[in-house]
Amino acid sequence: MTVQPEQADVLTRSLPLEMNCRALDEERFCRCCRLILRRSDQLRDGWSWEALQGSEGYLKKTTLRPLPAGWGPEQDGGESPGAEPAALQPDPLVSTGSEEEDADLRLPSNSSSPVLQWEYHVLYSCSYATPVLYFRAFTLDGRSLTLEEIWKSIHPNFGLRLQNCPLNAVSQQEHPLLGQPFFFLHPCRTEEFMGPVLQAALDHGRYAHPGFWVHEGPMRFYLETWT
Amino acid sequence: MADDKDVLRDVWFGRIPTCFTLNPDEVTEREAEAYYLLLPRVSYLPVVTDKVKKHFQKVMRAEDVEEMWFEYEGTPLKWHYPIGVLFDLHASNTVLPWNITVHFKNFPDRDLLHCSSNSVVEAHFMSSIKEADALKHKSQVVNDMQKKDHKQLWMGLQNDKFDQFWAMNRKLMEYPTEDGGFRYIPFRIYQTLSDRPFIQKLFRPVSPEGNAHTLGDLLKEMYPDALTNDGEVKRYQILIHGIEPLLETPLQWLSEHLSHPDNFLHICVVPVPTD
């Protein structure tokens, strides 16, 4: 599906302003989400809206990703004998679901490399007036990743920021709408983590390019940092 | 400013007599006797259950001991809620002591957060204080504090030191007199009847006309079903620290005096007992 030039222009002009998270009320959050969903539909990259009562809801995406380099479940902990990487095969039922699949990270159908299933939720925090990322990951046999494994899976560029007190940046927290354990990036640290990513985009002039917001949606960009 | 010290003390020193018994499915070398404790309402289970863990581990082999977790009548207890909130929500109308079952295997990781050490509780507690201050003062008070001040809040709670905690916490309770209260009231309304664990939204202590908002005003806006209309039979109890405050109580006063140490006002809506 192609994006009409005038449509791209509207998005380019509106999104950077809309995505300024410093003073985002819930209504604007929902408006941003609608724009992101429209573009996600065009890209077929799998974001959806999970509606709750009234206008409330959150953005959701589920995707399969290869294990990050240098990452492996604890071999010596013996927590779950079935969770060794060798036992992980992409589940054909999951990996062929085109709606759930991330176009650029599509696994070759004959891939034998181990994968994890990631679930991302973007919720609005009224306390901080920002979007907040909640996420969780499972091996294909259903074991949840531990917090230590999540810390290990964070991109090395951000590893340094975690060193001093990782619990203040990424920790486990109850999903405020579902009541289930998720990991979350603390809202106070979101800007610190995302700032360099946006700066890099600015430095490379990609931000000014009309295609930037269309082809590299900010939420996608936000999430790419983590895997 | 919090000025009613008796209320603050009563809240801080609230205790729940509790009987811990080992889950019968645990493998033990000899019979495990029940263990009794007075649990502080304002603390968290992992902070005050070291003795419970040691007591039961004495009769278990090390290889049978995994992460400890607690359950009440089939419900895994969320350690990240204050103990008093767990009691009011799940057990408020039962006979004391509160009977909690202790588990050392089959950790329900789809229901409970892991808690490997007290530093996890500390991070959770500080994160709640920061969120509350974002609502009350746009984070200005908590950001002006030094690291040792943050530590003082946590150590005060961990070691049950009322004066140490309140010497610092009173700063988080200040507001400009002309505002009549905080920017927003940090509150959470809990109920067990839906999947959604709690309601938390923005709510100001003072109406645009300058009137003090009450507990009743908050519930009318957030959870009208919890209120009893004229001529209706009362269906729900509105509990804070185990008591039912008058719905006419100003919310700002409640926030200053009946908030938990995490600076949130935790309100439980529970069905009225039928018998």
Side-chain angles (χ1 to χ4, degrees):
Chain A
M1 182 182 288
T2 54
V3 178
Q4 298 302 314
E6 63 273 26
Q7 204 175 359
D9 192 43
V10 167
L11 292 172
T12 315
R13 275 189 280 115
S14 60
L15 265 175
L17 287 173
E18 296 279 13
M19 293 309 295
N20 175 353
C21 298
R22 284 193 171 172
L24 185 76
D25 63 23
E26 192 158 11
E27 200 189 316
R28 275 176 67 193
F29 169 75
C30 291
R31 212 161 59 226
C32 289
C33 289
R34 282 198 294 273
L35 290 170
I36 284 163
L37 286 166
R38 209 189 308 160
R39 191 165 54 258
S40 175
D41 276 352
Q42 292 158 357
L43 297 168
R44 294 175 178 278
D45 78 346
W47 283 98
S48 62
W49 179 254
E50 294 289 314
L52 298 154
Q53 58 192 47
S55 61
E56 279 182 297
Y58 56 90
L59 282 177
K60 179 180 173 184
K61 175 171 170 161
T62 308
T63 185
L64 289 175
R65 287 178 176 239
L67 286 183
W71 187 92
E74 301 290 348
Q75 297 289 316
D76 51 356
E79 282 176 48
S80 173
E84 273 79 28
L88 295 174
Q89 300 289 332
D91 179 345
L93 288 174
V94 179
S95 63
T96 51
S98 58
E99 267 188 20
E100 300 281 28
E101 202 165 271
D102 186 325
D104 290 348
L105 287 160
R106 186 173 292 133
L107 295 162
S109 56
N110 61 352
S111 165
S112 60
S113 56
V115 293
L116 296 171
Q117 181 172 327
W118 291 82
E119 197 176 315
Y120 304 110
H121 295 193
V122 180
L123 277 68
Y124 179 71
S125 159
C126 60
S127 305
Y128 291 104
T130 61
V132 182
L133 174 67
Y134 287 79
F135 59 101
R136 59 183 172 183
F138 303 102
T139 61
L140 288 185
D141 59 0
R143 185 179 72 87
S144 312
L145 261 63
T146 64
L147 181 57
E148 289 70 25
E149 288 167 342
I150 293 288
W151 284 341
K152 267 195 264 175
S153 76
I154 286 174
H155 195 280
N157 288 355
F158 295 90
L160 270 180
R161 290 169 195 279
L162 279 176
Q163 262 177 3
N164 286 336
C165 200
L167 278 174
N168 294 347
V170 176
S171 61
Q172 213 186 10
Q173 173 121 344
E174 178 177 21
H175 191 298
L177 302 174
L178 301 180
Q180 296 164 6
F182 271 69
F183 301 105
F184 99 129
L185 170 58
H186 197 279
C188 295
R189 305 291 292 272
T190 300
E191 193 175 359
E192 183 190 336
F193 273 75
M194 294 315 300
V197 180
L198 283 175
Q199 189 59 48
L202 281 169
D203 292 348
H204 288 94
R206 288 148 83 198
Y207 186 80
H209 188 272
F212 173 72
W213 293 101
V214 178
H215 298 299
E216 300 179 55
M219 285 303 177
R220 162 91 176 278
F221 212 47
Y222 181 8
L223 297 170
E224 295 267 344
T225 317
W226 295 95
T227 51
Chain B
M1 261 301 283
D3 56 5
D4 198 336
K5 247 193 161 185
D6 289 343
V7 175
L8 301 181
R9 280 188 180 278
D10 287 348
V11 164
W12 183 272
F13 291 106
R15 295 289 187 270
I16 300 166
T18 306
C19 172
F20 290 93
T21 42
L22 190 65
N23 163 36
D25 291 345
E26 305 287 333
V27 181
T28 59
E29 294 189 306
R30 54 182 191 276
E31 199 184 338
E33 286 179 18
Y35 193 82
Y36 292 82
L37 267 185
L38 282 176
L39 296 181
R41 275 186 162 267
V42 297
S43 192
Y44 297 90
L45 282 170
V47 179
V48 294
T49 51
D50 264 358
K51 286 177 179 171
V52 175
K53 197 181 198 170
K54 282 188 188 130
H55 171 80
F56 289 118
Q57 283 183 353
K58 276 192 286 192
V59 299
M60 297 177 73
R61 291 184 311 177
E63 59 264 39
D64 293 323
V65 175
E66 292 167 23
E67 186 170 348
M68 181 170 66
W69 58 281
F70 302 101
E71 168 237 307
Y72 173 71
E73 291 193 343
T75 305
L77 295 174
K78 294 176 176 176
W79 64 261
H80 62 288
Y81 291 0
I83 290 167
V85 172
L86 292 172
F87 179 80
D88 290 347
L89 196 57
H90 301 298
S92 56
N93 291 301
T94 53
V95 179
L96 292 172
W98 185 17
N99 284 305
I100 292 183
T101 307
V102 184
H103 294 254
F104 287 97
K105 62 180 182 199
N106 300 326
F107 189 91
D109 58 10
R110 300 276 171 128
D111 297 309
L112 298 183
L113 308 180
H114 283 284
C115 183
S116 53
S117 71
N118 271 0
S119 64
V120 176
V121 188
E122 180 182 357
H124 168 75
F125 174 70
M126 287 316 301
S127 153
S128 298
I129 286 202
K130 285 175 186 169
E131 182 173 354
D133 200 54
L135 290 162
K136 292 203 274 194
H137 308 110
K138 287 189 171 176
S139 306
Q140 279 165 1
V141 179
V142 81
N143 287 344
D144 282 350
M145 286 181 174
Q146 297 177 8
K147 224 175 183 141
K148 68 173 175 57
D149 301 336
H150 291 173
K151 208 74 191 172
Q152 184 175 333
L153 289 165
W154 166 245
M155 296 305 280
L157 177 70
Q158 194 189 27
N159 300 327
D160 194 20
K161 301 286 184 201
F162 175 85
D163 292 326
Q164 183 184 5
F165 175 81
W166 268 100
M168 195 50 64
N169 196 52
R170 62 180 185 80
K171 296 186 185 176
L172 294 165
M173 293 295 173
E174 287 170 359
Y175 56 87
T177 318
E178 62 272 23
D179 292 356
F182 304 134
R183 203 165 65 98
Y184 296 106
I185 298 288
F187 73 91
R188 283 180 179 172
I189 301 174
Y190 300 81
Q191 38 77 45
T192 52
L193 302 171
S194 86
D195 289 339
R196 188 170 185 164
F198 51 77
I199 298 169
Q200 183 186 333
K201 292 179 181 170
L202 299 180
F203 197 77
R204 293 192 189 271
V206 181
S207 74
E209 298 77 36
N211 302 319
H213 276 144
T214 64
L215 179 60
D217 293 331
L218 176 76
L219 288 160
K220 206 157 116 190
E221 172 123 3
M222 303 295 162
Y223 196 166
D225 283 352
L227 299 172
T228 312
N229 296 316
D230 289 342
E232 273 182 5
V233 178
K234 181 175 162 183
R235 287 172 298 159
Y236 297 103
Q237 291 179 305
I238 316 294
L239 295 174
I240 305 176
H241 295 290
I243 57 166
E244 293 184 78
L246 292 177
L247 294 176
E248 296 76 31
T249 316
L251 207 52
Q252 176 65 30
W253 187 91
L254 287 173
S255 185
E256 287 172 56
H257 295 87
L258 295 197
S259 284
H260 272 266
D262 68 0
N263 276 246
F264 273 85
L265 189 61
H266 297 272
I267 303 163
C268 295
V269 176
V270 298
V272 169
T274 45
D275 49 8

